Amino acid sequence: MDTYLILSALAGVVALLFAFFLASSISKANAGNERMREIAGYIHEGAMAFLYREYRYLVIFAIAVFIILSIFINWQTAVCYIAGALCSVLAGYIGMQVATKANVRTTEAARNGMGQAIKIAFSGGAVMGMSVAGLGVLGLGAMFLLFAKDVNYIAGFGLGASSIALFARVGGGIYTKAADVGADLVGKVEAGIPEDDPRNPAVIADNVGDNVGDVAGMGADLFESYVGSLISAFTLGVLIFKGGEGVLFPIALCALGIIASIIGILVGRGSNADNPQAALNMGTYVAGGITVVAAGVLSMWLFGDLKAFLALTAGLIAGLAIGKVTEIYTSGDYGSVKKIAEQSQTGPATTIISGMAVGMYSTMWPMLFITAGMLVSYFVMGGGLKGLYGIALAAVGMLSTTGITVAVDAYGPISDNAGGIAEMSELPHSVREVTDKLDAVGNTTAAIAKGFAIGSAALTALALFASYAQSVKLDAIDLLDPLTLAGLFLGAMVPFLFGALTMEAVGKAANEMIEEVRRQFREIPGLMEGKAKAEYATCVDIATGAALHKMVVPGTLAVVLPLAVGLILGTESLAGFVAGALVTGVLMAVFMANAGGAWDNAKKYIEGGEYGGKGSNTHKAAVVGDTVGDPFKDTSGPAMNILIKLMTIVSLVFAPVFVKYGGLVSHLLK
Amino acid sequence: MDTYLILSALAGVVALLFAFFLASSISKANAGNERMREIAGYIHEGAMAFLYREYRYLVIFAIAVFIILSIFINWQTAVCYIAGALCSVLAGYIGMQVATKANVRTTEAARNGMGQAIKIAFSGGAVMGMSVAGLGVLGLGAMFLLFAKDVNYIAGFGLGASSIALFARVGGGIYTKAADVGADLVGKVEAGIPEDDPRNPAVIADNVGDNVGDVAGMGADLFESYVGSLISAFTLGVLIFKGGEGVLFPIALCALGIIASIIGILVGRGSNADNPQAALNMGTYVAGGITVVAAGVLSMWLFGDLKAFLALTAGLIAGLAIGKVTEIYTSGDYGSVKKIAEQSQTGPATTIISGMAVGMYSTMWPMLFITAGMLVSYFVMGGGLKGLYGIALAAVGMLSTTGITVAVDAYGPISDNAGGIAEMSELPHSVREVTDKLDAVGNTTAAIAKGFAIGSAALTALALFASYAQSVKLDAIDLLDPLTLAGLFLGAMVPFLFGALTMEAVGKAANEMIEEVRRQFREIPGLMEGKAKAEYATCVDIATGAALHKMVVPGTLAVVLPLAVGLILGTESLAGFVAGALVTGVLMAVFMANAGGAWDNAKKYIEGGEYGGKGSNTHKAAVVGDTVGDPFKDTSGPAMNILIKLMTIVSLVFAPVFVKYGGLVSHLLK
């Protein structure tokens, strides 16, 4: 069994080698003329500046947590924590390095049509995907084997991944929207210059934001889910199956998922370039198909039946279904978006009301699918502890092809960047047309990836929730106990608080950005005429600083609140707290992401010529919806994924402390 | 003990007699000149037309439920159901009759200054308040005594109250906003005529809406909470205390609360009229003070200690605290509203984002207060079943002075109506100034009453939830059971669905109204010039029809969903479902009500001259916020109160069915 375990972990090395192969093939591509390279250089520098500044915060944060873990838990968990954080950082670093190389090379390739451009952009995304999956399997596998397969320590690895995800996703989300709003409001609206115009001082920050938020942020989010679901499956698997098959099944599946993702990526890169959407879809289906077959074989081999396979497939289907629903509610091809566009005719208020209604409606199906996925995976495994293991497998199933999921998603911002570079380098309009087409494909796939991110976050948090209950030895979490109910009430409130904090953060950061852009237009002579250069670096610096400052409060809350509830109200109350946060967190995530996506595409639908097209009053109303939707879909909504996973894993890691010292007040009351 | 019980129930008669006394004093007041009487007549007719049409729907609905209850539960519950529905209908009918008389008399009195005007408006509200409290205590007490003090039947009374509340609050909420938006959008914006201008065909419907939504809707909402909290206290009280003191304590307290409210109302009517806010506050404090003292005495007499008193006071304090927080987040005197006004300078998008953030933030304190109130009232009674009884007492504490709470609240729309009548009758501007002052007072108190309505709905639903668990004999509601978790997930989603449905209903109803107003301006020659009369009745008719049609789907869902979950997934899953709906329902109610209130007052703050005042771009942005906020605060937000109580009481009433036939699918799974 050990040999297989080691082999599975080594699949991570294969993933990294493949990422290396893709990265060097990108490096070899032509990076365009001097102007293009200069602009790409700014973006690259800006992205790296964000990373390095983030690392400074991170180091302090990580050292503090390391010390706390060493004192209150044990040094092994602390080591796992550092390993998890390092793996996530490394994946993000590799992904960003390559994405900021792939963007300009995609632009250059787009001068000769779609064929080569899609290949480079997709390869760029695939590097991020392979790094996430590879470092996840390798890092977690190494820790598991290092500590003699004792599952008590590896939750630390998940906590490490969660910490980085917090910085990358929440900080990145604030960054990208602050830069976006700043660039749009002063550049497009006040100065009246087009999008991605090099005279706009915030334009580089805006392009950096795409990388920071959509490449690194999404990558860290899925890395966290990926290792979280594995940790939960490991914890429960060791408890139930004594022969090691409970651990081998999920990790071997992820190893095969990596191989399947590599095949899928090769299919995606090689297939017909005239239809990029079909190419991406084909790659995804091939990878999914292989994984499902592999799951069936593994299930028969390890358990002698297909139960584990069915549990896992339930998760996969739920993930796909959520993705499809996300598309239906947010794509311009369907009724919801068209209705928002229609309602925009009576002004911005009706745009907002109808978008909110769409977002609220859209929570129904994902909740049903998550519930169904959970029930099927639980009961198909026979309920009880095995059933909980089944839920963990459903999460693993959704995430086993993370390699290609991230690849398809990160491809979007790379194409978006490529378009920006084409614009800023004043390349012929035909180049921009090609990158726009690539970007449009990216938008649809990004919506689906968001659905996947939410679904997997929910199932992962559920599985970790079950692990937590095991860990603190709760036989039941009784809602008739008012302490549990109190936890439920308080936990359910946290996503609302988190949403308010992150939306406000975007607003404040955007205001700083707006001030700076206005200052540059005012103080730099000749900037408007294109004779002087804008100070891009100052804008990048402001966005970076603001994003990192503004995430301190929500980030601290996400860590401190579960600790406070556990210590004051006790383990059962904390379970209620986590359940409450999980349930409203998922609802708010879906609501905000889909309302935001629907507003975005309603605006695009009108720009396509409906209801008076660009510049009409209807369009103006739709722009209001889009602006409201920006922090909804790119900051607060995705931040919920992190919140629910982070609070659950904090509870799991600190379980021993709660058992010992928890419930200070509740003991007094009882 | 029986004598005291009968005496307590008879306090209801006192309340009704006092209401009769107030009503006849209003009738005696001068109803103004012919024009005023004509307009008041239209409003009165419109309000009654809505009621009669509503009754037609109600009769069908009530007969269907009566038959279902008779077959599946028992005839006694069915009789209680009809009694509860009749009491609520009667309270609403009396309240509306008098409110639509008090409005014009307030206008007339306002010609001679504040003194008499406030007295009439407040008396009008007090009739509604006294009817609610009186019929609640009398009706419920009568049923309890009629069926030989068997608490198994009286839940039917609560279901009856809930059914009416659904029609009155949800239907009324849709009505009032459809009429409001219709009147504003075509009248003020398109035709450019002032608010409450008699040329506007929707102006009568708009004034009817204030009565339908804010008088009858709020009354039915609090009637439901009032009897709901009593039912829960009865059910648990009988179980715990064999001597009848468990029942006597809450009903005697409500009886004394009626007397206290009467004293409070007399104080409020009699005190210094120069400062109407102080008069209303004084009345409320006097009533509250008397009730608290009475609770202490009762607690010592019946139980020999102050535990019940403390539990009850915890609820009262929580209610007041929520009211205060509501004021802080929604009044123009505090930071949140000022911030929204400031953010409106950069356009409607930032208005919306900052208002949403305020609404989300504002959920924190109410959740903390509800949680604290629940924990204190539970543990002070000693936990266990007695603790649950304590939670019911906390709800009773919040509601014992319902008489004056409703009075203070219903006073607002009466003053608002008085202003409208002054405008339409072209009275001197000074009259409108007086009624505007009265109305402004009403707005603050309405915000507080909304906080009370939400807080009491939450505690009542919690108490009923506990009764339900007793009724289906659940020893625990275990969140580690995936069926319970599934219930939690599904239940938590329902308020989002309900919010989407009700917001959409307002949109559609408003559109019908807009079409009609446009048609009249187009087709009636001389209307704009004031030479021809608008067809008010058509607009009233459209609002009535639309409101009642559009509430069928959300209303049916609120009844059918808990039945479906109970039958398919079983009693424990249904408990999770109710808990989930309760938790997100309260969050959404607070979020929507406070965001809406804050937008409303941010607009008013700007109209007070800040940031360029009326007509500025900042003002236009704030108007967008206000328009979005209208269905938030007056339709969807308050509808949540009904939703959570209705679903809980449906679960409680049908508990015997679930025990027998429930969990069709879950039995198969296990």
Side-chain angles (χ1 to χ4, degrees), chain B residues 557-623:
Chain B
L557 279 180
V559 178
V560 169
L561 285 179
L563 291 177
V565 171
L567 288 174
I568 297 172
L569 299 175
T571 50
E572 200 172 345
S573 193
L574 179 56
F577 180 84
V578 169
L582 172 55
V583 108
T584 51
V586 173
L587 280 164
M588 291 296 276
V590 175
F591 161 54
M592 296 183 99
N594 289 353
W599 276 317
D600 185 8
N601 285 322
K603 187 196 68 172
K604 286 184 181 147
Y605 181 74
I606 293 169
E607 284 172 356
E610 303 289 332
Y611 303 117
K614 235 173 174 166
S616 63
N617 277 332
T618 309
H619 182 246
K620 276 180 198 149
V623 168

Side-chain angles (χ1 to χ4, degrees), chain A residues 51 54-55 58 80-96 128 131-137 139-140 157-169 215-225 227 642:
Chain A
L51 283 189
E54 185 189 282
Y55 294 160
L58 266 176
C80 282
Y81 171 77
I82 295 294
L86 275 181
C87 284
S88 180
V89 161
L90 196 58
Y93 184 80
I94 297 172
M96 289 273 272
M128 180 86 226
S131 306
V132 164
L135 286 164
V137 165
L140 190 63
F157 194 88
L159 185 61
S162 281
S163 308
I164 308 307
L166 179 71
F167 280 85
R169 187 59 131 163
V215 177
M218 171 66 99
D221 188 350
L222 283 175
F223 184 82
E224 184 193 14
S225 284
V227 299
I642 309 297

Side-chain angles (χ1 to χ4, degrees), chain A residues 445-471:
Chain A
T445 49
I448 296 174
K450 262 175 199 157
F452 246 83
I454 292 167
S456 68
L459 280 183
T460 303
L462 266 173
L464 288 170
F465 173 70
S467 304
Y468 162 76
Q470 283 307 313
S471 193

Side-chain angles (χ1 to χ4, degrees), chain A residues 526-550:
Chain A
L527 177 57
M528 210 39 210
E529 295 76 34
K531 285 178 197 153
K533 261 193 184 172
E535 296 166 7
Y536 302 131
T538 335
C539 288
V540 167
D541 198 54
I542 285 174
T544 306
L548 293 171
H549 280 139
K550 302 282 185 280

Side-chain angles (χ1 to χ4, degrees), chain A residues 339 356-357 360-361 367-368 371 378 476-480 482 485-486 489-490 492 496 500-501 504 584 587-588 632, chain B residues 339 356-357 360-361 367-368 371 374 378 462 469 476-479 482 486 489-490 492 496 500-501 504 584 587 632:
Chain A
K339 204 181 203 172
M356 300 273 302
M360 287 185 187
Y361 268 127
M367 289 304 265
L368 283 172
T371 308
Y378 180 85
I477 300 166
D478 183 11
L479 275 182
L480 281 178
L485 262 183
F489 267 73
L490 298 177
F496 281 76
L501 284 168
E504 219 177 55
T584 49
L587 281 163
M588 291 295 275
F632 263 54
Chain B
K339 206 179 199 172
M356 299 275 301
M360 288 185 186
Y361 268 127
M367 289 304 264
L368 282 173
T371 308
M374 173 182 75
Y378 179 84
L462 265 173
I477 300 165
D478 184 10
L479 277 183
F489 267 74
L490 297 177
F496 280 77
L501 284 167
E504 218 175 55
T584 51
L587 280 164
F632 263 54

Side-chain angles (χ1 to χ4, degrees), chain A residues 68-82:
Chain A
I68 293 171
L69 290 176
S70 303
I71 296 174
F72 292 101
I73 313 296
N74 49 53
W75 67 268
Q76 294 95 329
T77 302
V79 168
C80 282
Y81 171 77
I82 295 294

Side-chain angles (χ1 to χ4, degrees), chain A residues 368-394:
Chain A
L368 283 172
F369 293 139
I370 291 171
T371 308
M374 174 182 74
L375 288 180
V376 169
S377 56
Y378 180 85
F379 286 109
V380 89
M381 287 293 290
L385 261 187
K386 279 193 180 177
L388 296 177
Y389 179 70
I391 296 176
L393 289 187

